Amino acid sequence: MARPRIVVVGGGFAGFHALRTLEKTLPADAAELVLVNPSDYLLYSPLLPDVSAGVVEPRHIAISLRQQLRRTRVVLGSATEVDHGAQTVTVRTTDDGGATEEVVTLSYDRLVLVPGSITRQFDIPGVAERAHGVKTLVEAQFLRDHLLRQLDRADALPAGPEHDAERRQRLTVVAVGAGYTGTEIVAQLQYWLSTIASRWSRVQPSDIAWVLIDLAESVLPELGPELGEKALGALKRRGIDVRLGVTVKEARDGETELTDGSVIPSRTLVWGAGVAASPLVETLDLPLQKGRLVVRPDLSVPGAEGVFAGGDAAAVPDLTQEGTPLTPPTAQHAQRQGTALGRNVAASLGHGTAKPYRHHDLGLVADLGGRDAIAKPLGIKLHGPLAKLVARGYHLYALPSMANRVRVGTDWLLAALLPAQSVEVTRIRPDQALVSTAQQSSAHLRG
């Protein structure tokens, strides 16, 4: 008899750790394991700000799926349709850089839906065409090289007041989202550019303007008001203009208009205003809660036999909190939910015992560049160098590959000992780094 097939859609934290658990739990002949993912690596996304700032090499936060998951067959592509009645998944694969498409259909006995999330965008004029996220390696590398290019072109402008307007546009960065992602990326990029700007003949660090905006009334609300104030103080001390209670009204060529009527001259718009579940979940004809797939406490999907879900795309109840809210879309929860998915899927095949997902949040960390950082491990509030040590220690612990840990640790050491790098090497086109392109958000909707 053929072995049952377990198909996992999504190779992020949840999918990776689900398969790692399945490989450890199931005997070799118990099931066929298949992973559907657009890339052949797990991206350790919490370190993307370090990549943008040139502190960490991009490949060092990309964990090889084939190297780490030896018993899993990796199918490179995007799931475009799930028929939970026929128990099939339709996958669009790409070859030759996307020039050739092939549609394949995979049958499954168990399906694990963990397609993750994309950067949340709103129907704001000009944002889709001009804003860049920081959720993929392409976006992180583009942003770094884009900022270097703005310094080059500002430096090359002839002296004189007739060029002052263009100069301001090129040397002003507007970032949306004062949460975890937006705050980290602005803080680290500002620190990096402040150390290298003097290498240009006509540019000084003080010439570069940074504007961080958010509709919320505080910075880093995930860490509470006290640490949020510490983070806000660090940002303002470095000259970053933080504007709360406002957002973008329209993004135009060379300027960004805010909802308070102010207009900021800028050619750089960074978008980090939260995340939304993968568009795939909207095509499944299954119940959603706040845009995420409804699941039971054991992460099985009601109304779909043999289907499980977790991570950012699933509305997972938090059994550790009063009132049972949904778990937040963080890497910490996605990783633990992946482990729970692997255990419960194996149990559904007769190996082990299924348990409801339960995880007490360990806290968050935020690296703000230089000696600045904010951390709240196990409820303990930290800031400054000690928080920096905790943040980096946590990331090294959470990286699921010893080789990647060594490489990232070496990158941090070299960054502390050597001058910051300021060379542009990737040459990614702006259209390649738009959210819809870089995050392949439209691929799930193509049949």
Side-chain angles (χ1 to χ4, degrees):
M1 295 180 62
R3 294 180 300 166
R5 176 183 289 167
I6 302 173
V7 176
V8 177
V9 174
F13 287 98
F16 177 88
H17 286 279
L19 284 163
R20 175 174 273 191
T21 301
L22 284 166
E23 289 191 356
K24 292 178 179 178
T25 304
L26 294 177
D29 60 349
E32 177 190 1
L33 305 178
V34 180
L35 170 63
V36 177
N37 197 54
S39 63
D40 64 349
Y41 58 83
L42 158 69
L43 177 65
Y44 189 79
S45 54
L47 289 181
L48 281 172
D50 293 66
V51 171
S52 286
V55 176
V56 172
E57 286 297 313
R59 282 188 175 87
H60 295 176
I61 65 169
I63 292 89
S64 170
L65 295 172
R66 291 191 173 93
Q67 184 178 2
Q68 296 295 319
L69 303 173
R70 298 297 181 89
R71 289 168 46 193
T72 298
R73 178 163 67 95
V74 178
V75 177
L76 294 182
S78 298
T80 60
E81 183 181 352
V82 175
D83 187 334
H84 50 84
Q87 293 191 309
T88 60
V89 179
T90 302
V91 180
R92 181 176 61 84
T93 63
T94 56
D95 297 309
D96 303 325
T100 304
E101 294 185 2
E102 180 183 359
V103 176
V104 298
T105 300
L106 298 172
S107 62
Y108 66 83
D109 296 277
R110 297 292 185 275
L111 176 64
V112 180
L113 290 171
V114 282
S117 59
I118 61 171
T119 298
R120 184 186 298 277
Q121 288 187 297
F122 302 91
D123 189 18
I124 300 173
V127 167
E129 298 80 14
R130 296 176 179 84
H132 296 281
V134 192
K135 194 171 174 59
T136 67
L137 282 178
V138 168
E139 293 169 306
Q141 292 176 93
F142 167 81
L143 185 56
R144 179 179 186 274
D145 288 347
H146 168 78
L147 292 174
L148 290 174
R149 203 171 306 133
Q150 299 314 302
L151 292 182
D152 287 336
R153 294 178 179 175
D155 187 69
L157 289 172
E162 64 271 22
H163 298 288
D164 286 349
E166 182 180 349
R167 183 181 176 85
R168 283 196 299 272
Q169 289 176 348
R170 295 194 180 278
L171 296 180
T172 300
V173 180
V174 177
V176 181
Y180 179 78
T181 301
T183 301
E184 269 204 324
I185 195 68
V186 166
Q188 293 213 43
L189 286 174
Q190 186 277 336
Y191 180 81
W192 168 58
L193 287 189
S194 71
T195 64
I196 65 171
S198 59
R199 298 175 188 175
W200 281 258
S201 302
R202 298 177 179 175
V203 176
Q204 295 299 318
S206 58
D207 296 334
I208 306 173
W210 298 84
V211 183
L212 176 62
I213 66 174
D214 200 307
L215 269 175
E217 297 299 328
S218 62
V219 171
L220 289 172
E222 304 95 329
L223 291 172
E226 182 178 340
L227 290 180
E229 284 298 316
K230 294 287 185 182
L232 179 61
L235 297 176
K236 289 186 173 181
R237 186 174 67 249
R238 296 208 218 144
I240 298 173
D241 181 4
V242 181
R243 306 186 189 184
L244 301 174
V246 297
T247 189
V248 174
K249 180 180 180 181
E250 184 178 358
R252 300 186 287 264
D253 285 335
E255 63 182 22
T256 300
E257 183 180 354
L258 305 186
T259 50
D260 63 0
S262 59
V263 177
I264 304 171
S266 173
R267 297 196 181 192
T268 305
L269 178 58
V270 182
W271 197 265
V275 297
S278 165
L280 175 65
V281 303
E282 298 179 0
T283 71
L284 300 177
D285 193 27
L286 290 170
L288 302 179
Q289 183 177 356
K290 296 184 178 179
R292 298 156 72 182
L293 194 60
V294 172
V295 297
R296 302 185 181 98
D298 67 350
L299 306 182
S300 62
V301 176
E305 183 68 26
V307 180
F308 296 76
D312 293 359
V316 180
D318 189 347
L319 302 182
T320 68
Q321 299 292 321
E322 185 177 349
T324 320
L326 301 183
T327 58
T330 63
Q332 181 183 150
H333 275 288
Q335 176 178 337
R336 273 78 180 179
Q337 286 168 19
T339 301
L341 282 165
R343 179 188 64 233
N344 292 350
V345 170
S348 74
L349 294 175
H351 299 270
T353 304
K355 298 178 181 179
Y357 173 73
R358 187 186 298 270
H359 171 66
H360 291 274
D361 202 305
L362 300 178
L364 293 174
V365 295
D367 189 337
L368 304 181
R371 296 167 62 86
D372 291 320
I374 301 293
K376 193 177 181 182
L378 302 175
I380 303 172
K381 301 172 185 177
L382 302 173
H383 62 92
L386 181 57
K388 183 89 167 189
L389 182 64
V390 170
R392 290 193 164 177
Y394 173 77
H395 288 314
L396 288 179
Y397 165 76
L399 272 165
S401 164
M402 180 56 70
N404 291 81
R405 291 173 190 158
V406 172
R407 290 187 173 103
V408 168
T410 302
D411 286 341
W412 283 335
L413 178 61
L414 293 176
L417 297 176
L418 302 176
Q421 293 183 316
S422 56
V423 293
E424 179 187 347
V425 295
T426 52
R427 289 287 177 183
I428 297 171
R429 298 194 315 269
D431 61 295
Q432 294 175 309
L434 291 173
V435 169
S436 60
T437 306
Q439 300 181 27
Q440 301 188 36
S441 57
S442 61
H444 303 289
L445 305 181
R446 296 170 59 182

